[in-house]
Structure formats: C-alpha cells, structure tokens
C-alpha cells in the first residue's frame, strides 16, 4: 500500500508541498469566520421552470457563478458586497440585497421575460424540455463537428510555430488568521509579494514559475507532432523538490488542449470535448445570442453535461455562421458537483483567428483552483501560452521528426542563462511572475524556511536529511514476518545535493527470530549531469545478502516495508540470497535498453526445504549457485514519469509499451546451471470515452534448460498481504505455483462512475467502480518437472504431507475482482475471488466462501 501513498504524494506534489510548509494552519477554522456562502435557485417568474446558464454575481466585485441545468447556483467567497444580481439574455436583470456577515444564506431569483430578438436567433422565454430533434443548437453543433477537419490546425499538411509556455502556481485563500500564525509570522516578508486576483478578488501569493521555450513541428502524412524544447526554467526550492519531478507533473496536469479532439486530457483525467463525436449524447447545447465579435458575426452557444458528475465541461463558444462554422472563442469550465477531487474550479480560455486557410490560437490559458478541502488553503495553477512565427511550409531539415519521443529537450535546455531568456521570451514576465523568482531566492536563504523544508522533505520522501547523507527510507526501519520475526533496519545513502552524478548507499538489518544479520550496498554513476534527469544513462552496482519470499516481485515498494508486515495465512518459507549485480541502463532514442551481469547464491531459509532423492537416498539442496547475463529492451514512445525520491511511476499514454527480456545462465561464469530465460510483455491503456478506460497487460515467457530446481523457474507473483497489488495475484500464496513456460494477462477496467453515478447514494458519495481479471496458465517441460524427476528438488509439502506447490498444467489460475474507489478520495476497496484451484490448502475465506477476500489500496485521482 505504501507505494500508493507515494503516488499520492507525487500526483499532488505541488499542492502537498506548500500545504505541508504551513501545517500550522487550520484551513477550515481560519476561513470559515469570514466566508459568505450564497446558494439558491433561479426560475422563470411565470412558468416556474429552472433557468440554466444564468449569471449570478456580486456587483462591483466580479465574483459569481452560473446556474446549472436545474437552475441551482452556489457562491462561496470572503469578498461579498451588499447586493447580488442575476442576469440572463432575454430576461430583465434582478438585484437583491444580502446580509453581510451571515455565513450561509439562501437567495432565490424569479426572472421575468423581456423577449429579446438578436440578429438571427430568437431567445424564447419559456424553457422547453430539452430535445435533440428539431433543436437549432444541435443542428449548429453538427455543422461545427462536420467542419472540424478543415478548421483545425492539424488539417494542414505541415505547420510549425514558436511557443512560450508559462505555468504559475499561487497560494490562495490567504486570511488574516493565517498571517498571524507563529511560524508564518517568522516568514512575513513573503507577504510583500501578495497580489489580488483579477478574476475573483482573492489574495494570492506567487510561489512557483515554470517557463518553456519550444519549436513545434507537425506533419499530417504521418500524424507526427514534435516539440523541441530549447529552454526550460523553474523557480526551485533547493533540494526540497526535484525540478525534473515538477517537469513531469506539470506535463501531466497541463497538457495542450485541442478542442477538436474527442477527449481533452487535463489533470491526468480525460474530459469529453463539446466537439466530440459522442457530444450529442453527452452534452446539452443551447443557443444564447448572436453578436458581433472582433469583426465577425458569431452565434453564442452554451453547453453543459447531461450528468453533473461526469468528466465534461460547461461553458460557451462563439461560432461563425457565415464562414465555415469555425470556433472563434471558447470558454470551458466545470459544473458544481462534478466528480473532480481537489479542484474547486477550472477554466480554459481559447481564442482563434484566421491565418491563411486555417485558424490558429491567439489566446490559450488554463486556470485551476486547487484545494485539499472546500474552504481551505489552496492554489491557483495557471498555464499561459504565447505563439508566434506560424508557418505552413515543410521544415528545411526533415530530421526534426526523427525519433519516437514527442518532446525532445536540447542538451542545455535546463541551463540557459538569463540573457538568453531576456532575448527569446515571446511575452515579458508579469510583475507577479518576476516577484516569484525573487521571493523563492529569499525563502531558500531564510533559516526558518530551511527548518520547514527539512520537515516537509521527511514527510514527502521518507528520508531524514543529514548532509552529506540521507537516512531512510523510514518505513523500512521496522517490519516483521513469520521467519525473521521482528526485523530492524538502518539504511542511508548519499544526498543529491552532495553529488548529482554519483550516489552510494546501503543498509544493515537484523531478525530477532532467525538471529541473522543482513546487509546491502549499492552505487550509481550517471553518464549524464544528473542521474535523476530523464532520459537516464547510468551504471548500477549492488552487493546484497538478504532474505526474500520466492516469487515476490514488488515494483514500487521495499519488501520489508512496515505496511507489508500484516499478512494472511502462513508465510514461513524464504530464500536467503547473496548476490552481486552490475547493470548498465540506457534510456532515450527509439528503445530503452539495460545490460546486466549477476551472480547469486540462494539457500533455503525458514521452513523452506528443497528435498530430492539421489541413489535412493533422501538429500537436501542447501545452495543454488547461478551466474546470469541479461538484456532488457523496452519500446515506450513518449514515456513520461511521476517521480519522487525512490519511485518513478510511468504515466499511461495512448501508446503501447513493449518489453523484451532475455537472460542466460552460464556455468562458465561460476554458476551450476546453463539455461535461457525469455519473456515478452505488452501493456496498453485503452480510453473508452464515457465508458472509462482499460489497462491491459499480457506477458509470455519460457525457460530453456534441463534439470533446473523449481525455485529458479517462473514463480507467479503472489500476495499474502491485505493490500491490493496491481501486478500480483492477490489470493495466491507464496510458492503456490511454479512453471517453466507461461502466458499471463491482467485486465483492469475503470468505469469512472458510468454506473455508480446513476445510483442515488453512491452518486452522492462520488464513488467510482472498477473491475479486474487476472489469469496465468503454464506448462512444465518433462526435464524440469519435479513430479517426473525425483532427483530434482520436490514441491513443498505441509505438515500433513499435502502439497503446497503445484504446476499450472491442469487449468489456468484465474482471479477476478470488483471494487469501488474514490472512497474518501484516497481509498480503493476490492472484493477478490479466485475461480480455480479452490481445493488447495491455506486459502482465505470470506462470508463462508472459499477463495474470496477483501483487499484495499490507496488510490488518488482528480
């Protein structure tokens, strides 16, 4: 489960960082004293039917909201004025007074029709039941969809342009109570940089700026777009957070928005575009007005999702009705009640102008209001993009399209000096953006903030800084299992600030039941200036003498993590493994590849016994020596990562990922066995529009060799903890199966509320549904089958002589699960059922059903 806490920290890294810095602040307590909350409903005065898209706002404060399909609105602010106004095209505006200082008030409006006829659109007073048939708004949006190919930039054979992207994060909801906190008062100089939002009047403090200068090239014949980043610049909190991690996070949260795509990816989630193919079934469209805008007569159209909780936008677009039905302007927002975690508000604002035979962006801005609680301390995240030098000619050098990566960084992209930025910025920095750079420099030199950084670093990384080393990871300092009993461990490694190209570390551990000392030492040398920068090229060396459960292969978590100490059933068979490893990793280019050399000495530990018969005499195998050389090749186009101190989690894209592994065991290198181990893995994410998304993985492998002990063969990844592990069989016991040739598949489908948002109670809780199925089938060659060869180590037996290890030849192992996630926004719970091998011993039972259990994991999504 701990790896998912890390993913949570990574995915909301920027939010949790500064909130952690100000942990002394009680957000709800500080904010609620001054907040004014207005809720209500707007209806037609005569028909009493609700009116959608009515603007309700405080006069002179530029703070307000729009009503939803039910005519409901909510405004939550500390900057209320004494009157509230409701306006809607075709109706007479109404202004009413409010009671300032009263925290929660209900104010309803009844608007009277004034019958407005605009240039070519008649706005009716009465709100009719929404219908697609005969609806002029639907007919208009169909024409916009039909002309997408001609109107969008990607309709051109080639294009290129320069791009200047600025991402800013600002602390908001700053109150007087917050400023008076003891720790905050020691950092009071930062409040010299406070500004006021032009959007809603809230105070905000600029904290982080990321700038990118890039050239973008597109070729329609191969549907290839390449972004060559010439310069990237950040405000940095020294070693508190990793700038490469921020780079990956911002790339995921703020992807480029193309309204002509069917799905818009933002905040790591897929939203349905109002111009999507399924838009007619997903959205309701309303014609609001016809106006003149920047020289064109345009129809103003509003849209809103049919289901409030689904990932869709509400907003308006300006559509030309005399010139190819292109979108001249669009504003996208989110509706109150949307199932979107940690986000109070979201706005996307784009404008387009004709450029030759197509239309290009002239305004491109995204603003997100983040918060961990509804009224607490939060952040504005703003992405602002400026463009220039559009060209529709093929590039002079076609090599700009080479390679598989979509984004290519110049070698010195992260080290360009200020003179370069001054000469090449498309847009000058605003005063608040310049202040952010100055303020962070001041913070990094402040003694109080340095102490705060230490605490936040321990919280977010699990390491205690003690220059030039970091002590940790803390969650592995104590654990327990059936073989070692209580296990204590002390680990440390050199810090990144000490050396960014070289890292060494190690640990010592002791088990009080087995009374055995364990240890490990490792070193990394990077062939790039920073071993954390992507893509990576490094040499890794390790020597270890420690225990492990056979078949356990954990991707993101240490096996001795304290959260894995709680296990079901009996887990008393381990291997004491002494090994040495040399590994070279080369990422980038068309393929990532890894070369490795490894020598192992494995010996049974705990109650593991490797019994065999030789010359009719029972024997025990006490040591297994192997020597391997291996290569792993990975094809993962445009792979991005969310990464922290220990973990680097790939971000799922639409591209499949292929991984080929080959290892050869060689007696000549000091091993006792000759063998070949081959596997091929394919992973793919399928986005299925309103039906959610599917994660599909399949792997096949075979081990070539004769008379191999079964512990050297394929031992499926088992899990006896109560945590749901994505790539393990969660109801399989350690060492329950072995095989030397196999095929397995893992399918998970996240419906993202497709069914649950139609169930009243679950809908209110915003729970989302997930189902999965996992299968592995294997077959033994006769030469490695212990059941046919008594001279080989035999499968495990329990105290009653009943087998505990099996082949997979009779039938595949299959388990399925169904669960809910987004529980309290951070939890996923699955009911898991294994469908085969139900007569095997030591199986879990739930509700009287054998082979069933409940498993949980942390899962955090927007």
């Amino acid at each position: 489960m701990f790896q998912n806490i890390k993913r949570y920290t990574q995915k909301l890294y920027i939010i949790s960082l500064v909130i952690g810095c100000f942990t002394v602040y009680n957000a709800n307590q500080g904010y609620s004293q001054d907040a004014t909350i207005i809720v209500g409903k707007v209806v037609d005065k005569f028909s009493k039917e609700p009116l959608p898209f009515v603007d309700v706002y405080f006069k002179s404060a530029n703070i307000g909201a729009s009503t939803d399909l039910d005519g409901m609105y909510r405004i939550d602010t500390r900057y209320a004025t004494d009157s509230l106004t409701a306006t809607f095209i075709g109706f007479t505006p109404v202004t009413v007074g409010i009671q300032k200082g009263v925290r929660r008030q209900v104010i309803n409006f009844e608007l009277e029709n004034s019958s407005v006829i605009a240039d070519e659109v008649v706005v009716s007073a009465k709100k009719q039941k929404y219908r697609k048939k005969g609806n002029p708004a639907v007919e208009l949006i169909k024409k916009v969809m039909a002309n997408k190919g001609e109107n969008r930039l990607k309709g051109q054979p080639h294009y290129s342009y320069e791009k200047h992207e600025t991402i800013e994060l600002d602390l908001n909801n700053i109150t007087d109570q917050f400023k008076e906190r003891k720790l905050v008062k020691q950092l009071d100089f930062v409040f010299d940089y406070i500004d006021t939002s032009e959007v809603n009047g809230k105070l905000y403090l600029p904290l982080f700026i990321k700038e990118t200068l890039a050239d973008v090239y597109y070729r329609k014949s191969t549907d290839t777009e390449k972004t060559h980043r010439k310069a990237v610049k950040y405000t940095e909190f020294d070693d508190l957070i990793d700038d490469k991690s921020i780079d990956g996070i911002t790339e995921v949260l703020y992807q480029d928005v193309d309204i002509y795509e069917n799905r818009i990816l933002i905040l790591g989630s897929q939203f349905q575009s109002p111009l999507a193919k399924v838009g007619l079934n997903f959205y309701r469209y309303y014609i609001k007005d016809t106006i003149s805008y920047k020289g064109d007569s345009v129809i103003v159209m509003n849209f809103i999702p049919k289901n409030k909780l689904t990932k869709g936008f509400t907003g308006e677009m300006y559509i030309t009705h005399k010139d190819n039905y292109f979108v001249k302007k669009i504003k996208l927002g989110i509706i109150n009640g949307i199932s979107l975690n940690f986000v109070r508000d979201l706005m996307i604002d784009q404008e387009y102008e004709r450029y030759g035979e197509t239309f290009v962006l002239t305004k491109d801005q995204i603003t997100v209001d983040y918060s961990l609680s509804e009224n607490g301390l939060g952040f504005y995240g703003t992405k602002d993009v400026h463009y220039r030098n559009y060209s529709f000619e093929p590039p002079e050098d076609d090599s700009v399209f080479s390679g598989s990566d979509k984004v290519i960084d110049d070698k010195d992209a992260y080290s360009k000096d200020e003179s370069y930025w001054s000469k090449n910025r498309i847009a000058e920095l605003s005063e608040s953006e310049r202040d952010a750079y100055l303020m962070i420099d001041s913070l990094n030199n402040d003694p109080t903030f340095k102490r705060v950084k230490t605490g936040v670093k321990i919280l977010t990384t699990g390491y205690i800084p003690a220059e030039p080393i970091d002590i940790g990871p803390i969650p592995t300092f104590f654990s327990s299992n059936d073989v070692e009993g209580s296990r204590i461990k002390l680990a440390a490694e050199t810090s990144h600030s000490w050396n960014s190209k070289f890292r060494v570390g190690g640990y010592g551990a002791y088990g009080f039941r087995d009374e055995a000392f364990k240890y490990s030492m490792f070193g990394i040398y990077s062939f790039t200036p920073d071993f954390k920068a992507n893509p990576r090229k490094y040499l890794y060396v390790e020597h270890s003498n420690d225990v492990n459960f056979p078949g356990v292969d954990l991707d993101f978590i240490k096996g001795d993590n304290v959260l894995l100490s709680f296990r079901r059933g009996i887990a008393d068979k381990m291997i004491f493994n002494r090994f040495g490893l040399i590994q070279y990793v080369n990422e980038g280019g068309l393929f990532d590849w890894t070369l490795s050399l490894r020598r192992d000495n494995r010996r049974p530990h705990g109650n593991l016994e490797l019994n065999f018969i030789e010359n009719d005499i029972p024997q025990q195998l006490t040591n297994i020596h192997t020597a391997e050389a291996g290569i792993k090749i990975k094809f993962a186009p445009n792979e991005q990562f969310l990464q922290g101190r220990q973990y680097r989690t790939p971000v799922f894209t639409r591209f499949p990922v292929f991984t080929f592994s080959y290892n050869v065991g060689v007696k000549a290198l000091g091993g006792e066995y000759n063998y070949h181990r081959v596997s091929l893995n394919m992973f793919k994410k399928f986005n299925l529009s309103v039906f959610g998304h599917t994660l599909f993985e399949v792997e096949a492998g075979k081990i070539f060799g004769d008379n191999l002990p079964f512990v050297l063969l394929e031992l499926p990844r088992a899990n006896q903890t109560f945590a749901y592990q994505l790539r393990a069989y969660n109801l399989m016991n350690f060492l329950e199966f072995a095989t030397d040739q196999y095929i397995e598949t893992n399918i998970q489908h996240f419906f993202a509320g497709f069914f649950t948002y139609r169930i009243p109670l679950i809908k209110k809780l915003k729970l989302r549904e997930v189902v999965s199925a996992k299968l592995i089938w294997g077959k033994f060659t006769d030469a490695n089958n212990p059941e046919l060869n008594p001279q080989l180590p035999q499968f495990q037996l329990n105290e009653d002589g009943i087998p505990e290890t099996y082949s997979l030849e009779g039938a595949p192992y299959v388990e399925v699960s169904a669960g809910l996630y987004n529980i309290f926004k951070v939890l996923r719970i699955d009911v898991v059922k294994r469908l085969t091998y139900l007569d095997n011993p030591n199986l879990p039972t739930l509700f009287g059903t054998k082979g069933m259990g409940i498993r949980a994991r942390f899962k955090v999504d927007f």
Side-chain angles (χ1 to χ4, degrees):
M1 293 173 66
F2 186 69
Q3 71 269 36
N4 302 297
I5 300 175
K6 284 296 182 182
R7 290 179 178 179
Y8 165 74
T9 304
Q10 295 159 0
K11 200 165 186 179
L12 295 173
Y13 210 67
I14 303 302
I15 302 174
S16 61
L17 164 66
V18 184
I19 289 181
C21 294
F22 299 106
T23 53
V24 295
Y25 176 60
N26 184 315
N28 289 323
Q29 185 180 42
Y31 183 78
S32 61
Q33 296 173 3
D34 301 317
T36 298
I37 300 174
I38 308 290
V39 297
K41 187 174 186 179
V42 184
V43 300
D44 185 295
K45 182 175 181 179
F46 298 105
S47 69
K48 306 301 180 185
E49 296 205 24
L51 295 174
F53 306 114
V54 177
D55 294 324
V56 184
Y57 58 92
F58 289 104
K59 296 194 71 173
S60 305
N62 198 27
I63 298 170
S66 295
T67 58
D68 61 20
L69 285 176
D70 299 319
M72 304 299 296
Y73 74 93
R74 175 189 172 102
I75 304 175
D76 192 341
T77 181
R78 293 191 301 112
Y79 304 96
T81 61
D82 57 5
S83 59
L84 194 67
T85 299
T87 62
F88 188 52
I89 189 73
F91 290 79
T92 303
V94 173
T95 299
V96 299
I98 71 161
Q99 294 177 299
K100 294 187 68 175
V102 177
R103 188 176 189 276
R104 183 178 180 88
Q105 300 173 58
V106 178
I107 297 181
N108 298 319
F109 290 88
E110 293 186 347
L111 301 188
E112 185 175 351
N113 170 40
S114 61
S115 245
V116 172
I117 301 179
D119 284 346
E120 298 176 11
V121 180
V122 177
V123 180
S124 172
K126 185 176 180 181
K127 176 181 176 290
Q128 303 290 337
K129 181 178 179 181
Y130 184 83
R131 299 179 186 277
K132 288 192 292 185
K133 186 176 182 180
N135 185 337
V138 171
E139 297 306 314
L140 176 61
I141 200 66
K142 285 181 178 179
K143 293 176 181 178
V144 177
M145 294 176 181
N147 285 276
K148 287 198 301 184
E150 298 178 27
N151 291 339
R152 68 185 307 192
L153 192 58
K154 286 188 176 180
Q156 299 299 309
H158 291 89
Y159 65 71
S160 63
Y161 56 82
E162 291 182 65
K163 180 171 75 170
H164 177 196
E165 178 181 291
T166 303
I167 293 176
E168 180 177 345
L169 288 168
D170 310 314
L171 186 70
N172 66 23
N173 275 6
I174 299 170
T175 65
D176 292 337
Q177 290 86 353
F178 173 69
K179 294 180 184 179
E180 292 302 316
R181 298 290 178 174
K182 182 177 179 180
L183 177 60
V184 178
K185 289 181 72 174
Q186 298 179 52
L187 301 171
D188 59 356
F189 69 89
V190 303
F191 297 114
D192 295 337
Y193 300 95
I194 281 183
D195 207 340
T196 303
S197 170
E198 296 180 359
V199 176
N200 56 18
K202 291 182 179 180
L203 298 178
Y204 71 90
L205 179 67
L207 282 180
F208 170 78
I209 300 289
K210 172 191 171 185
E211 291 186 87
T212 305
L213 297 176
D215 293 328
V216 179
Y217 302 90
Y218 176 76
R219 182 172 57 196
K220 185 178 180 180
S221 60
T222 56
D223 191 25
T224 303
E225 184 178 83
K226 297 286 187 178
T227 299
H228 290 260
R229 299 201 301 190
K230 299 177 290 186
V232 183
K233 183 180 182 182
Y234 304 91
T235 53
E236 298 183 39
F237 286 94
D238 287 341
D239 62 342
L240 178 62
I241 50 178
D242 173 26
D243 56 352
K244 306 306 184 298
S245 299
I246 298 175
D247 189 20
I249 291 168
T250 53
E251 289 296 320
V252 171
L253 298 185
Y254 298 99
Q255 296 194 23
D256 291 339
V257 171
D258 184 351
I259 61 170
Y260 291 106
E261 293 286 349
N262 291 324
R263 290 177 295 274
I264 294 174
L265 296 177
I266 187 170
L267 304 179
S269 301
Q270 53 176 337
F271 287 73
Q272 297 302 317
S273 170
L275 301 182
K277 294 178 181 178
V278 299
L280 296 176
N281 296 319
F282 189 88
Y283 285 97
R284 295 183 180 182
Y285 301 92
Y286 301 87
I287 290 178
K288 183 177 180 180
D289 199 358
T290 298
I291 64 173
S292 177
Y293 185 75
K294 293 187 176 180
D296 285 303
S297 177
V298 297
I299 299 173
V300 181
M301 175 182 287
N302 290 110
F303 47 89
I304 194 167
K306 292 182 178 180
N307 188 325
K308 296 180 185 180
L309 294 178
T310 52
K311 296 287 179 67
F313 298 105
T314 182
E316 65 179 16
M317 64 180 95
Y318 293 5
I319 303 167
T320 64
H321 52 99
K322 296 180 180 178
D323 187 7
N324 215 33
Y325 298 97
F326 80 90
V327 176
K328 190 175 180 71
K329 177 182 174 67
I330 188 167
K331 281 190 174 183
L332 305 173
I334 55 175
I335 195 169
N336 287 336
I338 187 175
S339 180
L340 190 62
N341 298 325
F342 315 113
V343 175
R344 280 188 291 230
D345 204 359
L346 164 68
M347 185 185 71
I348 300 172
D349 193 353
Q350 293 186 334
E351 292 192 22
Y352 297 80
E353 291 292 343
R354 178 177 288 282
Y355 194 103
E357 298 299 318
T358 189
F359 304 91
V360 300
L361 274 167
T362 57
K363 181 178 182 180
D364 189 6
Q365 189 176 73
I366 301 173
T367 302
V368 184
D369 187 357
Y370 299 99
S371 179
L372 294 180
S373 63
E374 184 178 352
N375 298 322
L377 197 68
F379 294 86
Y380 290 128
T382 302
K383 173 183 173 181
D384 206 350
V385 188
H386 298 271
Y387 305 88
R388 71 180 178 191
N389 293 337
Y390 280 97
S391 172
F392 299 97
E393 299 297 325
E396 295 181 1
D397 184 0
D398 204 51
S399 66
V400 297
F401 295 109
S402 62
S404 61
D405 291 333
K406 186 177 179 180
V407 178
I408 300 102
D409 289 337
D410 288 356
K411 290 183 178 180
D412 59 346
Y414 291 88
S415 58
K416 294 290 176 64
D417 59 23
E418 186 54 43
S419 63
Y420 177 90
W421 284 96
S422 299
K423 293 177 183 178
N424 291 280
R425 282 190 179 100
I426 296 177
E428 291 299 318
L429 293 179
S430 67
E431 183 177 355
S432 67
E433 291 169 339
R434 292 193 298 270
D435 285 348
Y437 283 116
L438 295 174
M439 188 191 68
I440 298 306
D441 287 340
S442 300
L443 272 177
N444 283 328
N445 294 318
D446 185 85
T448 300
F449 188 69
K450 288 181 178 180
R451 292 193 297 271
V452 172
K453 285 196 302 181
T454 299
V456 175
K457 186 174 182 180
I458 294 172
L459 177 66
T460 58
T461 67
Y463 282 82
I464 302 171
E467 291 292 339
I469 64 170
D470 291 338
I471 302 171
I474 297 171
T476 66
F477 284 0
F478 175 82
S479 60
S480 65
N481 58 68
D482 292 339
V483 177
E484 294 179 280
S486 295
R487 170 184 167 116
I488 59 171
K489 173 180 170 181
L490 182 63
E493 57 191 53
T494 56
S495 65
H496 182 262
S497 60
W498 177 72
N499 196 309
S500 63
K501 289 177 65 71
F502 183 62
R503 172 175 286 179
V504 295
Y507 66 81
Y510 182 79
F512 287 91
R513 180 175 298 170
D514 65 358
E515 298 181 341
F517 178 73
K518 298 93 178 175
Y519 65 88
S520 178
M521 298 173 290
F522 75 89
I524 299 175
Y525 178 78
S526 174
F527 295 94
T528 61
D530 186 344
F531 60 73
K532 293 193 295 185
N534 298 313
R536 298 180 175 183
K537 293 178 174 61
Y538 63 87
L539 182 69
Y540 178 83
V541 180
E542 181 180 3
H543 174 70
S544 179
N545 189 39
D546 204 347
V547 297
N548 65 279
F549 289 104
V552 175
D553 182 13
L554 300 171
D555 291 329
F556 304 105
I557 188 170
K558 303 292 184 182
D560 55 359
N561 187 284
V562 65
L563 293 178
L564 297 184
S565 297
F566 305 97
R567 295 182 175 89
R568 61 171 177 83
I570 301 171
D572 59 0
K573 297 176 177 62
M574 303 186 81
I575 287 179
F576 213 125
N577 191 14
R578 180 186 180 97
F579 71 85
L581 171 67
I582 301 176
Q583 192 175 66
Y584 176 71
V585 177
N586 187 305
E587 298 178 345
L590 187 61
F591 297 97
D592 299 339
W593 50 273
T594 301
L595 298 176
S596 61
L597 289 172
R598 176 169 178 148
R599 292 187 61 179
D600 290 80
N601 176 25
R602 301 174 178 89
R603 59 186 189 273
H605 196 57
N607 289 332
L608 178 63
E609 295 181 353
L610 301 180
N611 299 318
F612 65 98
I613 296 176
E614 186 176 31
N615 299 323
D616 296 326
I617 300 174
Q619 302 281 346
Q620 282 195 359
L621 187 61
T622 56
N623 285 277
I624 301 175
H625 296 275
T626 59
E628 282 188 1
I631 182 171
K632 182 168 73 172
I633 301 172
K634 183 178 181 181
F635 176 71
N638 305 310
E639 189 169 36
Q640 295 174 301
F641 300 94
L642 296 178
Q643 63 189 53
R645 174 60 187 266
Q646 300 179 74
Y647 308 99
R648 191 168 67 141
T649 306
V651 177
F652 303 136
T653 67
R654 64 184 179 89
F655 298 100
V657 176
F658 294 91
T659 305
F660 170 79
S661 295
Y662 171 68
N663 291 275
V664 55
V666 185
K667 288 183 178 180
L669 296 178
E672 298 174 323
Y673 304 92
N674 289 323
Y675 57 86
H676 304 268
R677 183 190 299 269
V678 182
S679 68
L680 178 63
N681 178 284
M682 190 277 283
F683 173 86
K684 177 76 168 72
K685 177 182 179 181
F686 295 93
N687 290 317
L688 302 176
S689 187
V690 295
F691 300 102
H693 67 272
T694 297
L695 304 181
F696 176 81
E697 184 175 13
V698 62
E699 180 174 308
K702 182 175 176 60
I703 299 168
F704 299 88
D706 296 336
N707 301 315
L708 301 176
F710 73 90
V711 292
L712 292 183
L713 304 180
E714 175 64 21
L715 303 175
R717 290 180 292 270
N719 175 28
Q720 286 189 225
T721 73
F722 296 99
Y724 186 93
Q725 295 183 15
L726 297 177
R727 301 187 68 246
Y729 298 97
N730 290 286
L731 297 183
M732 183 186 291
N733 298 324
F734 298 141
L735 271 178
E736 187 175 357
F737 295 100
T739 184
D740 63 3
Q741 48 193 321
Y742 67 95
I743 183 169
E744 62 181 331
T745 185
N746 182 352
I747 303 172
Q748 291 192 82
H749 183 76
F750 297 84
F751 286 99
F754 182 79
F755 295 109
T756 54
Y757 290 172
R758 291 165 170 80
I759 303 172
L761 178 60
I762 297 180
K763 174 181 177 180
K764 187 174 182 179
L765 296 174
K766 298 181 181 179
L767 304 184
R768 306 165 189 171
E769 63 277 45
V770 57
V771 295
S772 72
K774 301 177 183 179
L775 175 151
I776 181 168
W777 175 83
K779 186 178 181 181
F780 263 114
T781 55
D782 290 347
N784 292 324
N785 192 340
E787 296 175 343
L788 302 179
N789 299 282
Q791 73 276 12
L792 291 175
Q794 298 298 292
F795 287 153
Q796 299 301 287
L797 304 176
N798 64 16
E799 295 176 351
D800 300 322
I802 299 174
E804 292 183 318
T805 306
Y806 303 84
S807 69
L808 286 161
E809 295 193 38
Y813 173 89
V814 182
E815 71 178 34
V816 296
S817 70
L820 294 172
Y821 64 102
N822 207 41
I823 302 170
F824 307 118
K825 299 182 181 180
V826 298
L827 190 63
R828 167 181 169 178
I829 296 179
D830 286 74
V831 176
V832 188
K833 179 71 172 71
R834 64 185 278 174
L835 305 181
T836 55
Y837 297 96
L838 296 177
D839 293 330
N840 288 9
N842 197 26
L843 297 190
T845 299
L846 179 67
F847 305 132
T849 302
K850 194 174 184 181
M852 180 179 284
I854 294 178
R855 300 293 178 263
R857 70 183 275 109
F858 287 98
K859 175 177 172 55
V860 179
D861 287 321
F862 280 103

